[in-house]
Amino acid sequence: YLEQEDNPLAIRMQFRVDGKLQTDALLAQRIRESKGRLLLLVHGSCMNDLQWLQPNGHDHGAALMEDSDLSPIYLHYNSGLHISDNGKLLASHLNRLAGLSQHETLALHIVAHSMGGLVVRSACHYAASDPDQFDDNGWLDKLQKVVFLGSPYHGALLE
């Protein structure tokens, strides 16, 4: 309803770090500082980007950064939208992100939890099937790995 009414309370898809919106300028800076090696963490249904941080202080993105040379960014999205709508939005966001990496070679890795895996798979589908609209900056070719954590490819009991 909030989305349909263009209500300012509607959750808009965005890249975040530490719960803060990442503008194109901040994303370009992160790409430069990480030498183009990014890790996108995509949350599941009814969650948000801050839930990768556990109550005991453990941050999955930070821990993965310690074990690799990847710089984490987090996706915040409205899990109440249809998966295909979120897939199109994510494909567009990743396309924009790839466009910001003009001077760096972008190596994109994704960790997706539950419904987030379905959204990522949908984004890959739209980028492959309509590259002029969803992949003219070539983000799909820059995607190195995707790790799916409990993605319900055959449906979920909740549904």
Side-chain angles (χ1 to χ4, degrees), residues 92-128:
S92 295
H93 276 63
L94 290 171
N95 193 44
R96 191 181 89 245
L97 182 71
L100 298 173
S101 66
Q102 299 168 355
H103 304 294
E104 291 289 341
T105 301
L106 183 64
L108 180 63
H109 297 74
I110 299 176
V111 173
H113 175 249
S114 192
M115 180 184 183
L118 301 178
V119 172
V120 169
R121 190 171 75 167
S122 178
C124 292
H125 165 77
Y126 286 108

Tab-separated table of all heavy atoms in Angstrom, residues 92-128:
chain	number	residue	atom	x	y	z
A	92	SER	N	18.939	-3.062	-11.738
A	92	SER	CA	19.184	-1.651	-12.057
A	92	SER	C	20.204	-1.035	-11.113
A	92	SER	O	21.083	-0.280	-11.539
A	92	SER	CB	17.876	-0.860	-12.000
A	92	SER	OG	16.991	-1.288	-13.006
A	93	HIS	N	20.091	-1.355	-9.834
A	93	HIS	CA	21.054	-0.824	-8.854
A	93	HIS	C	22.461	-1.358	-9.125
A	93	HIS	O	23.438	-0.614	-9.030
A	93	HIS	CB	20.610	-1.188	-7.433
A	93	HIS	CG	19.622	-0.246	-6.843
A	93	HIS	ND1	18.364	-0.042	-7.366
A	93	HIS	CD2	19.696	0.548	-5.754
A	93	HIS	CE1	17.712	0.842	-6.634
A	93	HIS	NE2	18.502	1.212	-5.653
A	94	LEU	N	22.566	-2.645	-9.421
A	94	LEU	CA	23.881	-3.222	-9.710
A	94	LEU	C	24.447	-2.666	-11.011
A	94	LEU	O	25.667	-2.467	-11.128
A	94	LEU	CB	23.791	-4.747	-9.750
A	94	LEU	CG	23.560	-5.402	-8.394
A	94	LEU	CD1	23.265	-6.891	-8.554
A	94	LEU	CD2	24.756	-5.183	-7.470
A	95	ASN	N	23.593	-2.390	-11.964
A	95	ASN	CA	24.031	-1.774	-13.213
A	95	ASN	C	24.608	-0.386	-12.943
A	95	ASN	O	25.651	-0.018	-13.471
A	95	ASN	CB	22.869	-1.711	-14.199
A	95	ASN	CG	23.327	-1.380	-15.584
A	95	ASN	OD1	24.314	-1.918	-16.074
A	95	ASN	ND2	22.615	-0.489	-16.243
A	96	ARG	N	23.904	0.379	-12.094
A	96	ARG	CA	24.400	1.703	-11.709
A	96	ARG	C	25.724	1.584	-10.975
A	96	ARG	O	26.667	2.338	-11.224
A	96	ARG	CB	23.355	2.412	-10.841
A	96	ARG	CG	23.669	3.880	-10.614
A	96	ARG	CD	22.634	4.571	-9.742
A	96	ARG	NE	23.031	4.437	-8.350
A	96	ARG	CZ	22.363	3.770	-7.414
A	96	ARG	NH1	21.241	3.161	-7.706
A	96	ARG	NH2	22.806	3.721	-6.188
A	97	LEU	N	25.831	0.611	-10.072
A	97	LEU	CA	27.072	0.389	-9.328
A	97	LEU	C	28.227	0.075	-10.275
A	97	LEU	O	29.325	0.622	-10.140
A	97	LEU	CB	26.878	-0.764	-8.328
A	97	LEU	CG	28.064	-1.098	-7.436
A	97	LEU	CD1	28.277	-0.009	-6.399
A	97	LEU	CD2	27.837	-2.438	-6.745
A	98	ALA	N	27.976	-0.789	-11.253
A	98	ALA	CA	29.022	-1.129	-12.224
A	98	ALA	C	29.449	0.096	-13.015
A	98	ALA	O	30.634	0.243	-13.350
A	98	ALA	CB	28.530	-2.233	-13.164
A	99	GLY	N	28.523	0.989	-13.285
A	99	GLY	CA	28.853	2.216	-14.002
A	99	GLY	C	29.743	3.148	-13.204
A	99	GLY	O	30.456	3.970	-13.770
A	100	LEU	N	29.726	3.025	-11.883
A	100	LEU	CA	30.568	3.863	-11.023
A	100	LEU	C	32.012	3.377	-10.963
A	100	LEU	O	32.869	4.072	-10.445
A	100	LEU	CB	29.993	3.897	-9.600
A	100	LEU	CG	28.605	4.492	-9.441
A	100	LEU	CD1	28.103	4.296	-8.011
A	100	LEU	CD2	28.605	5.971	-9.819
A	101	SER	N	32.265	2.198	-11.491
A	101	SER	CA	33.590	1.588	-11.384
A	101	SER	C	34.429	1.792	-12.642
A	101	SER	O	35.236	0.957	-12.992
A	101	SER	CB	33.456	0.094	-11.099
A	101	SER	OG	32.857	-0.552	-12.206
A	102	GLN	N	34.248	2.923	-13.297
A	102	GLN	CA	34.892	3.183	-14.578
A	102	GLN	C	36.402	2.982	-14.554
A	102	GLN	O	36.976	2.461	-15.505
A	102	GLN	CB	34.595	4.602	-15.037
A	102	GLN	CG	33.123	4.866	-15.234
A	102	GLN	CD	32.837	6.340	-15.400
A	102	GLN	OE1	33.716	7.174	-15.283
A	102	GLN	NE2	31.587	6.660	-15.674
A	103	HIS	N	37.056	3.398	-13.488
A	103	HIS	CA	38.521	3.349	-13.447
A	103	HIS	C	39.056	2.158	-12.671
A	103	HIS	O	40.257	1.972	-12.560
A	103	HIS	CB	39.076	4.646	-12.872
A	103	HIS	CG	38.619	5.849	-13.630
A	103	HIS	ND1	38.991	6.093	-14.930
A	103	HIS	CD2	37.784	6.853	-13.295
A	103	HIS	CE1	38.426	7.218	-15.350
A	103	HIS	NE2	37.686	7.690	-14.375
A	104	GLU	N	38.183	1.372	-12.126
A	104	GLU	CA	38.575	0.181	-11.385
A	104	GLU	C	37.941	-1.045	-12.027
A	104	GLU	O	36.849	-0.975	-12.567
A	104	GLU	CB	38.100	0.257	-9.922
A	104	GLU	CG	38.791	1.291	-9.076
A	104	GLU	CD	40.235	0.945	-8.743
A	104	GLU	OE1	40.615	-0.234	-8.849
A	104	GLU	OE2	40.975	1.867	-8.386
A	105	THR	N	38.622	-2.158	-11.938
A	105	THR	CA	38.037	-3.421	-12.359
A	105	THR	C	37.148	-3.894	-11.221
A	105	THR	O	37.626	-4.105	-10.112
A	105	THR	CB	39.129	-4.463	-12.645
A	105	THR	OG1	39.983	-3.939	-13.664
A	105	THR	CG2	38.525	-5.767	-13.098
A	106	LEU	N	35.870	-4.033	-11.485
A	106	LEU	CA	34.926	-4.432	-10.442
A	106	LEU	C	34.849	-5.947	-10.361
A	106	LEU	O	34.684	-6.627	-11.370
A	106	LEU	CB	33.534	-3.857	-10.734
A	106	LEU	CG	32.458	-4.118	-9.693
A	106	LEU	CD1	32.823	-3.436	-8.377
A	106	LEU	CD2	31.112	-3.596	-10.177
A	107	ALA	N	35.025	-6.476	-9.158
A	107	ALA	CA	34.830	-7.897	-8.876
A	107	ALA	C	33.758	-7.967	-7.801
A	107	ALA	O	33.996	-7.621	-6.647
A	107	ALA	CB	36.126	-8.535	-8.402
A	108	LEU	N	32.581	-8.385	-8.194
A	108	LEU	CA	31.425	-8.381	-7.305
A	108	LEU	C	31.152	-9.779	-6.777
A	108	LEU	O	31.099	-10.738	-7.540
A	108	LEU	CB	30.206	-7.858	-8.068
A	108	LEU	CG	28.886	-7.780	-7.329
A	108	LEU	CD1	28.983	-6.801	-6.159
A	108	LEU	CD2	27.782	-7.342	-8.287
A	109	HIS	N	30.992	-9.869	-5.455
A	109	HIS	CA	30.618	-11.115	-4.785
A	109	HIS	C	29.346	-10.820	-4.001
A	109	HIS	O	29.176	-9.720	-3.489
A	109	HIS	CB	31.719	-11.566	-3.823
A	109	HIS	CG	33.005	-11.879	-4.501
A	109	HIS	ND1	33.848	-10.909	-5.003
A	109	HIS	CD2	33.589	-13.052	-4.771
A	109	HIS	CE1	34.900	-11.483	-5.544
A	109	HIS	NE2	34.768	-12.780	-5.422
A	110	ILE	N	28.461	-11.810	-3.896
A	110	ILE	CA	27.190	-11.608	-3.196
A	110	ILE	C	26.959	-12.750	-2.211
A	110	ILE	O	27.179	-13.916	-2.552
A	110	ILE	CB	26.007	-11.541	-4.184
A	110	ILE	CG1	26.175	-10.362	-5.153
A	110	ILE	CG2	24.680	-11.424	-3.436
A	110	ILE	CD1	25.100	-10.273	-6.230
A	111	VAL	N	26.519	-12.402	-1.009
A	111	VAL	CA	26.004	-13.369	-0.045
A	111	VAL	C	24.537	-13.014	0.152
A	111	VAL	O	24.209	-11.878	0.511
A	111	VAL	CB	26.762	-13.318	1.300
A	111	VAL	CG1	26.089	-14.220	2.328
A	111	VAL	CG2	28.216	-13.713	1.117
A	112	ALA	N	23.661	-13.973	-0.132
A	112	ALA	CA	22.224	-13.713	-0.084
A	112	ALA	C	21.550	-14.709	0.848
A	112	ALA	O	21.754	-15.913	0.726
A	112	ALA	CB	21.631	-13.806	-1.487
A	113	HIS	N	20.754	-14.188	1.752
A	113	HIS	CA	20.061	-15.022	2.721
A	113	HIS	C	18.597	-15.188	2.332
A	113	HIS	O	17.908	-14.212	2.026
A	113	HIS	CB	20.152	-14.388	4.115
A	113	HIS	CG	19.375	-15.123	5.144
A	113	HIS	ND1	18.242	-14.615	5.716
A	113	HIS	CD2	19.563	-16.343	5.698
A	113	HIS	CE1	17.760	-15.486	6.587
A	113	HIS	NE2	18.544	-16.541	6.597
A	114	SER	N	18.129	-16.434	2.304
A	114	SER	CA	16.720	-16.773	2.133
A	114	SER	C	16.101	-16.079	0.915
A	114	SER	O	16.555	-16.262	-0.203
A	114	SER	CB	15.967	-16.466	3.428
A	114	SER	OG	14.672	-17.013	3.408
A	115	MET	N	15.084	-15.260	1.132
A	115	MET	CA	14.420	-14.570	0.034
A	115	MET	C	15.393	-13.705	-0.764
A	115	MET	O	15.214	-13.492	-1.966
A	115	MET	CB	13.284	-13.706	0.575
A	115	MET	CG	12.525	-12.956	-0.479
A	115	MET	SD	11.301	-11.912	0.338
A	115	MET	CE	10.499	-11.225	-1.076
A	116	GLY	N	16.427	-13.212	-0.101
A	116	GLY	CA	17.438	-12.424	-0.803
A	116	GLY	C	18.065	-13.194	-1.951
A	116	GLY	O	18.406	-12.620	-2.985
A	117	GLY	N	18.203	-14.510	-1.799
A	117	GLY	CA	18.731	-15.336	-2.879
A	117	GLY	C	17.801	-15.359	-4.079
A	117	GLY	O	18.252	-15.360	-5.225
A	118	LEU	N	16.504	-15.366	-3.822
A	118	LEU	CA	15.536	-15.335	-4.917
A	118	LEU	C	15.597	-13.994	-5.647
A	118	LEU	O	15.488	-13.934	-6.876
A	118	LEU	CB	14.125	-15.587	-4.392
A	118	LEU	CG	13.904	-16.916	-3.656
A	118	LEU	CD1	12.472	-17.000	-3.147
A	118	LEU	CD2	14.256	-18.102	-4.527
A	119	VAL	N	15.794	-12.929	-4.892
A	119	VAL	CA	15.901	-11.595	-5.487
A	119	VAL	C	17.171	-11.504	-6.340
A	119	VAL	O	17.135	-10.990	-7.461
A	119	VAL	CB	15.870	-10.504	-4.391
A	119	VAL	CG1	16.177	-9.132	-4.968
A	119	VAL	CG2	14.521	-10.502	-3.674
A	120	VAL	N	18.278	-12.030	-5.838
A	120	VAL	CA	19.534	-12.013	-6.592
A	120	VAL	C	19.394	-12.832	-7.873
A	120	VAL	O	19.804	-12.404	-8.957
A	120	VAL	CB	20.705	-12.529	-5.730
A	120	VAL	CG1	21.954	-12.785	-6.571
A	120	VAL	CG2	21.005	-11.545	-4.609
A	121	ARG	N	18.805	-14.013	-7.759
A	121	ARG	CA	18.611	-14.857	-8.943
A	121	ARG	C	17.720	-14.147	-9.962
A	121	ARG	O	17.973	-14.192	-11.170
A	121	ARG	CB	18.008	-16.198	-8.527
A	121	ARG	CG	18.005	-17.212	-9.670
A	121	ARG	CD	17.610	-18.568	-9.191
A	121	ARG	NE	16.167	-18.623	-8.932
A	121	ARG	CZ	15.484	-19.721	-8.743
A	121	ARG	NH1	16.095	-20.894	-8.744
A	121	ARG	NH2	14.197	-19.692	-8.524
A	122	SER	N	16.696	-13.453	-9.492
A	122	SER	CA	15.822	-12.691	-10.373
A	122	SER	C	16.595	-11.561	-11.058
A	122	SER	O	16.435	-11.331	-12.268
A	122	SER	CB	14.643	-12.123	-9.576
A	122	SER	OG	13.800	-11.345	-10.389
A	123	ALA	N	17.444	-10.866	-10.313
A	123	ALA	CA	18.254	-9.789	-10.895
A	123	ALA	C	19.159	-10.333	-11.998
A	123	ALA	O	19.287	-9.718	-13.070
A	123	ALA	CB	19.088	-9.109	-9.814
A	124	CYS	N	19.771	-11.485	-11.765
A	124	CYS	CA	20.626	-12.113	-12.780
A	124	CYS	C	19.809	-12.472	-14.019
A	124	CYS	O	20.266	-12.280	-15.153
A	124	CYS	CB	21.314	-13.353	-12.219
A	124	CYS	SG	22.550	-12.998	-10.948
A	125	HIS	N	18.594	-12.971	-13.804
A	125	HIS	CA	17.715	-13.315	-14.919
A	125	HIS	C	17.423	-12.085	-15.779
A	125	HIS	O	17.528	-12.134	-17.014
A	125	HIS	CB	16.410	-13.921	-14.408
A	125	HIS	CG	15.328	-13.958	-15.437
A	125	HIS	ND1	15.293	-14.893	-16.460
A	125	HIS	CD2	14.258	-13.138	-15.627
A	125	HIS	CE1	14.243	-14.656	-17.230
A	125	HIS	NE2	13.596	-13.604	-16.745
A	126	TYR	N	17.048	-10.975	-15.148
A	126	TYR	CA	16.706	-9.777	-15.907
A	126	TYR	C	17.932	-9.190	-16.608
A	126	TYR	O	17.826	-8.711	-17.741
A	126	TYR	CB	16.008	-8.737	-15.024
A	126	TYR	CG	14.593	-9.150	-14.730
A	126	TYR	CD1	14.217	-9.597	-13.469
A	126	TYR	CD2	13.633	-9.143	-15.739
A	126	TYR	CE1	12.915	-10.011	-13.220
A	126	TYR	CE2	12.327	-9.560	-15.498
A	126	TYR	CZ	11.984	-9.984	-14.240
A	126	TYR	OH	10.693	-10.405	-14.010
A	127	ALA	N	19.082	-9.242	-15.969
A	127	ALA	CA	20.301	-8.739	-16.614
A	127	ALA	C	20.657	-9.566	-17.840
A	127	ALA	O	21.076	-9.028	-18.869
A	127	ALA	CB	21.456	-8.742	-15.618
A	128	ALA	N	20.463	-10.891	-17.748
A	128	ALA	CA	20.787	-11.772	-18.874
A	128	ALA	C	19.752	-11.670	-19.992
A	128	ALA	O	20.100	-11.720	-21.177
A	128	ALA	CB	20.896	-13.219	-18.394
